[in-house]
């Protein structure tokens, strides 16, 4: 029998400590491990860059949540992204990316991997035919976000998984915006899932981390090699904090989603808002696909201000409860101007975001307070 999601979040990979009975797995704050003779390791641990019991617990939990066979934890979401791309791409290869990808992902690909001889094509990942048309003989990866950051476009993951199989490419899904609670891409046919665990998985804005989950043994082996060789690993306290956050993921995502839906509905009726980006709205072009592949529609909402860029910037400066800050997915609500903040690296490119765009991460505060705050800032 397979346990439900919330049960796995609390129990997968986590057992009472064998020596003390501690219900919560301990923080193994050690850099190295005593060996019982040369080459005779206790429980397989030799050095904490290579492996740490607290990190192992986190990785086992993450694999269970995404229904994957293998998981590797990293010191940040970008470290996880880098490990995946460098494990499957070589000079001369090509990949397809969203035309509104996260700015950090774009920067890594455009400024680093291109110097290594890797080429890329931005496309609307919501359009399977456009993705198909971008695939070349040397395309190795379809890199997808769904929902995308920051325009909340939706990719049909099952359809793209079929396309990846047809074209002998790998479908990699950045599942950060959805979290494993709302969406499990591996179950829809994706080959690899990437997370910034800093966001919804950690959930409390107190830890930075990343993760790669897959059932592809070749990818898992390559990512594990880079994890150990490069060493961009989370410390044991970071792993423990992420585990702590995961325990309430199911409950938090329900509230994030409920709050975001009400915020999106209120914004759509506001005279200063020209467009609302939220897949839970019935008129969102990806609504039907999102309803089919997601449990709910998530906690992220973006909108454009009718009075342009400066007005959008001013809204971000006038809120009381929505904190002006980068990142997302914490229990507290955040607001930002993507064009000048998280997506500044896309300026002048095909991925440049609208100057009048505002992005909010709906926290789990009382919704009436959040609405009062945001609507007051729009006046």
């Amino acid at each position: 029998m397979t346990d439900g999601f919330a049960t796995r979040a609390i129990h997968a990979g986590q057992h009472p400590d064998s020596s003390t009975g501690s219900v919560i797995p301990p923080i193994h704050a050690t850099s190295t491990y005593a060996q019982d003779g040369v080459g005779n390791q206790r429980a397989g641990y030799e050095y904490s860059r290579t492996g740490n019991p607290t990190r192992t617990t986190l990785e086992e939990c993450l694999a269970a949540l995404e229904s994957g066979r293998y998981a590797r934890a990293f010191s940040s979401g970008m470290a996880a992204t880098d490990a995946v791309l460098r494990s499957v791409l070589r000079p001369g290869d090509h990949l397809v990316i969203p035309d509104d990808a996260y700015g950090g992902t774009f920067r890594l690909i455009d400024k680093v991997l291109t110097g290594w001889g890797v080429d890329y094509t931005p496309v609307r990942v919501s359009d399977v035919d456009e993705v198909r048309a971008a695939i070349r003989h040397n395309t190795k990866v379809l890199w997808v976000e769904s929902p995308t950051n920051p325009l909340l476009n939706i990719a049909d993951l099952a359809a793209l998984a079929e396309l990846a199989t047809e074209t002998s490419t790998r479908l990699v899904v950045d599942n950060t915006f959805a979290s494993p609670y709302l969406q499990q891409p591996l179950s829809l046919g994706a080959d690899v899932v990437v997370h910034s665990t800093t966001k919804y998985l950690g959930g409390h804005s107190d830890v930075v981390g990343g993760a790669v989950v897959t059932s592809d043994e070749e990818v898992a082996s390559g990512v594990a090699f880079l994890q150990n060789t490069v060493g961009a690993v989370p410390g044991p306290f970071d792993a423990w904090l992420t585990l702590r956050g995961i325990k309430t993921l199911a409950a938090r995502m329900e509230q994030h989603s409920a709050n975001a839906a009400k915020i999106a509905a209120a914004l759509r009726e506001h005279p200063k808002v020209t467009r609302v980006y939220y897949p839970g709205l019935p008129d969102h072009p990806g609504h039907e696909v999102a309803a089919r592949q997601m449990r709910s529609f998530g906690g992220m909402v973006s909108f454009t201000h009718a009075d342009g860029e400066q007005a959008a910037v001013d809204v971000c400066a006038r809120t009381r409860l929505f904190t002006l800050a980068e990142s997302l997915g914490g229990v507290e609500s955040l607001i930002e101007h993507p064009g000048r903040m998280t997506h500044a690296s896309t300026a002048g490119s095909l991925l440049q975001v609208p100057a009048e765009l505002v992005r909010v991460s709906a926290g789990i505060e009382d919704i009436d307070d959040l609405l009062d705050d945001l609507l007051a800032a729009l006046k």
Side-chain angles (χ1 to χ4, degrees), residues 149-227:
N149 179 7
L151 298 180
L152 286 302
N153 285 308
I154 299 296
D156 187 332
L157 298 182
L160 289 179
E162 291 182 7
L163 177 60
T165 300
E166 292 172 14
T167 56
S168 299
T169 57
R170 283 191 169 98
L171 176 61
V172 181
V173 179
D174 183 336
N175 201 31
T176 298
F177 264 32
S179 87
Y181 178 70
L182 298 185
Q183 178 174 271
Q184 295 181 10
L186 297 182
S187 300
L188 296 169
D191 298 290
V192 185
V193 169
V194 175
H195 280 282
S196 170
T197 58
T198 309
K199 312 306 193 296
Y200 287 111
L201 284 159
H204 293 77
S205 301
D206 56 9
V207 62
V208 174
V212 177
V213 186
T214 185
S215 292
D216 184 318
E217 188 172 356
E218 182 181 1
V219 172
S221 177
V223 169
F225 177 81
L226 285 173
Q227 182 197 46

Side-chain angles (χ1 to χ4, degrees), residues 70-209:
Y70 313 100
R72 291 288 172 173
F74 288 84
S75 57
S76 70
M78 287 311 306
T81 296
D82 179 62
V84 170
L85 291 174
R86 285 197 291 132
S87 69
V88 299
L89 294 172
R90 294 293 179 268
D93 287 345
H94 171 261
L95 75 156
V96 175
I97 66 171
D99 63 1
D100 64 330
Y102 167 54
T105 302
F106 171 73
R107 182 173 54 229
L108 173 65
I109 294 169
D110 184 65
K111 300 298 190 292
V112 179
L113 292 187
T114 56
W116 195 40
V118 171
D119 195 11
Y120 70 94
T121 301
V123 301
R124 287 180 299 163
V125 293
S126 57
D127 187 331
V128 177
D129 290 334
E130 188 171 327
V131 176
R132 183 189 299 275
I135 295 174
R136 307 173 185 172
H137 72 279
N138 59 336
T139 303
K140 296 297 189 295
V141 171
L142 308 181
W143 183 279
V144 173
E145 300 169 10
S146 188
T148 59
N149 179 7
L151 298 180
L152 286 302
N153 285 308
I154 299 296
D156 187 332
L157 298 182
L160 289 179
E162 291 182 7
L163 177 60
T165 300
E166 292 172 14
T167 56
S168 299
T169 57
R170 283 191 169 98
L171 176 61
V172 181
V173 179
D174 183 336
N175 201 31
T176 298
F177 264 32
S179 87
Y181 178 70
L182 298 185
Q183 178 174 271
Q184 295 181 10
L186 297 182
S187 300
L188 296 169
D191 298 290
V192 185
V193 169
V194 175
H195 280 282
S196 170
T197 58
T198 309
K199 312 306 193 296
Y200 287 111
L201 284 159
H204 293 77
S205 301
D206 56 9
V207 62
V208 174

Side-chain angles (χ1 to χ4, degrees), residues 255-256 258-264 321-322 362-373:
Q255 192 62 47
H256 285 302
N259 282 355
K262 292 180 180 178
I263 289 169
L321 297 178
F322 284 85
I364 62 173
E365 302 96 335
D366 290 327
I367 185 58
D368 289 343
D369 296 330
L370 293 179
L371 289 175
D372 288 346
D373 185 36

